[in-house]
């Protein structure tokens, strides 16, 4: 699909677009963070993309192995499949400690026909702004970026104090590589667009049930049941799930127990 076909998302009525945006955050107490027509602009921008770099990874279960939560991995695989269907170039960048996990997820996604072909899985340990530019550009030349779009899906971001935190306010910096440096540097490189997305639990369950290999996710990644050990976080998780129609918290639990 090219730009003209991609522009067909403009055919959605204002109310339909508003419903999508509310699902993304408007009904979750963060509506003030949404910008007008942001979803439309992001969709149109991706329809013109040639090379997209996806990133995900939020090691909230810091005492588990692996520590990943389940929002990001299926969302990233789902978006990669969507982009492949549009004949876009797709790569993914993850924490080095999680490299084997994502390699297995991609391998099984290809085996099950979710992805047409394997996608490159990259890592970045950072070090300086120069290192980020060297990663993003051929021969460090800002006029020759390797990617024209960077997309983050449920990715840990650095706090003002330089650390990374989970919902329990625990510092998880030792589990997170400075991939967000790439997004900061990309703002100064012509030709690179960047965005981020947060998927709710209901979106994740629907994606898992739609083809992303749920058995692999169940085996390799701790699901939302692990959050029940923390009462405060469990309440937040339930509230998030119940605000994202059409999937309720009960459906989330049933889907996980049957997978």
């Amino acid at each position: 699909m090219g730009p003209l076909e991609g522009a067909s998302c403009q055919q959605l009525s204002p109310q339909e677009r508003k419903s999508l945006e509310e699902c993304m955050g408007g009904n979750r107490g963060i509506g003030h963070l949404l910008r007008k027509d942001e979803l439309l602009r992001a969709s149109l921008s991706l329809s013109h993309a040639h090379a997209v770099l996806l990133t995900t990874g939020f090691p909230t279960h810091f005492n588990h192995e692996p520590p990943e939560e389940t929002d990001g991995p299926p969302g990233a695989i789902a978006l990669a499949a969507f982009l492949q269907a549009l004949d876009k170039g797709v790569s993914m960048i993850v924490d080095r400690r999680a490299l084997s996990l994502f390699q297995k997820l991609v391998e099984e996604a290809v085996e099950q026909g979710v992805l047409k072909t394997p996608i490159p899985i990259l890592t970045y340990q950072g070090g300086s702004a120069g290192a980020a530019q060297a990663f993003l550009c051929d021969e460090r030349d800002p006029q020759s970026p390797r990617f024209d779009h960077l997309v983050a899906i449920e990715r840990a971001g650095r706090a003002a104090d330089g650390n990374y935190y989970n919902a329990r306010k625990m510092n998880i910096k030792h589990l997170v590589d400075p991939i967000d440096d790439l997004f900061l540097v990309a703002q100064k490189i012509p030709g690179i667009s960047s965005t981020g997305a947060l998927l709710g639990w209901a979106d994740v369950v629907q994606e898992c049930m739609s083809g992303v290999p749920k058995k692999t996710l169940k085996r390799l990644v701790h699901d939302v049941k692990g959050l029940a050990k923390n009462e405060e976080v469990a309440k937040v998780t339930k509230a998030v799930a119940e605000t994202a129609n059409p999937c309720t918290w009960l459906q989330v639990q049933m889907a996980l127990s049957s997978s």
Side-chain angles (χ1 to χ4, degrees):
M1 183 176 75
L4 291 178
E5 290 85 349
S8 64
C9 64
Q10 288 180 299
Q11 297 175 7
L12 290 175
S13 70
Q15 184 57 44
E16 289 172 325
R17 286 205 299 271
K18 182 180 179 181
S19 296
L20 287 174
E21 290 171 350
E22 287 178 347
C23 184
M24 292 170 60
N27 288 334
R28 299 175 183 177
I30 58 173
H32 60 287
L33 299 178
L34 298 178
R35 293 181 294 177
K36 180 177 174 56
D37 294 328
E38 185 172 30
L39 178 61
L40 176 61
R41 290 197 301 268
S43 300
L44 291 174
S45 184
L46 282 174
S47 76
H48 289 70
H50 295 285
V52 181
L53 180 65
L54 307 178
T55 187
T56 189
F58 205 120
T60 187
H61 301 284
F62 58 93
N63 287 326
H64 295 165
E65 181 56 42
E68 261 59 36
E69 51 70 67
T70 53
D71 286 38
I77 296 293
L79 182 54
F82 166 79
L83 292 169
Q84 279 193 340
L86 302 182
D87 295 322
K88 311 296 185 182
V90 188
S91 301
M92 188 181 301
I93 183 167
V94 300
D95 296 312
R96 181 171 55 179
R97 56 156 187 83
L99 180 60
S100 61
L101 167 66
F102 282 92
Q103 287 174 333
K104 291 176 182 177
L105 290 175
V106 168
E107 179 182 347
E108 189 154 334
V110 173
E111 290 176 355
Q112 296 192 14
V114 177
L115 292 174
K116 294 193 296 186
T117 58
I119 61 175
I121 307 294
L122 312 173
T123 61
Y124 173 78
Q125 275 68 62
S128 66
Q133 182 168 307
F135 181 92
L136 291 171
C137 303
D138 290 328
E139 299 182 355
R140 299 175 179 266
D141 183 359
Q143 300 301 318
S144 301
R146 298 170 59 193
F147 313 97
D148 51 46
H149 283 71
L150 307 184
V151 181
I153 301 178
E154 192 68 18
R155 172 69 194 173
R158 188 184 297 114
D161 63 3
N163 294 318
Y164 297 82
Y165 297 92
N166 66 8
R168 299 179 179 89
K169 302 179 183 180
M170 302 296 296
N171 189 352
I172 55 174
K173 184 176 181 178
H174 61 291
L175 298 171
V176 181
D177 291 336
I179 293 174
D180 41 347
D181 283 349
L182 301 178
F183 286 75
L184 296 175
V185 172
Q187 296 177 28
K188 302 177 182 179
I189 299 177
I192 300 183
S193 299
S194 62
T195 187
L198 175 63
L199 301 180
W201 293 122
D203 305 311
V204 173
V205 173
Q206 288 182 331
E207 287 164 357
C208 289
M209 300 306 108
S210 297
V212 175
K214 61 182 180 180
K215 291 184 179 179
T216 300
L217 291 168
K218 179 80 170 182
R219 185 173 68 253
L220 298 177
V221 183
H222 295 282
D223 57 41
V224 296
K225 292 179 182 177
L227 294 177
K229 297 178 181 178
N230 186 300
E231 188 175 278
E232 179 181 357
V233 176
K235 290 180 181 178
V236 173
T237 303
K238 181 178 179 180
V240 169
E242 290 183 339
T243 59
N245 291 326
C247 209
T248 66
W249 176 246
L250 178 60
Q251 289 173 300
V252 171
Q253 296 284 46
M254 292 176 61
L256 289 170
S257 62
S258 64
S259 60

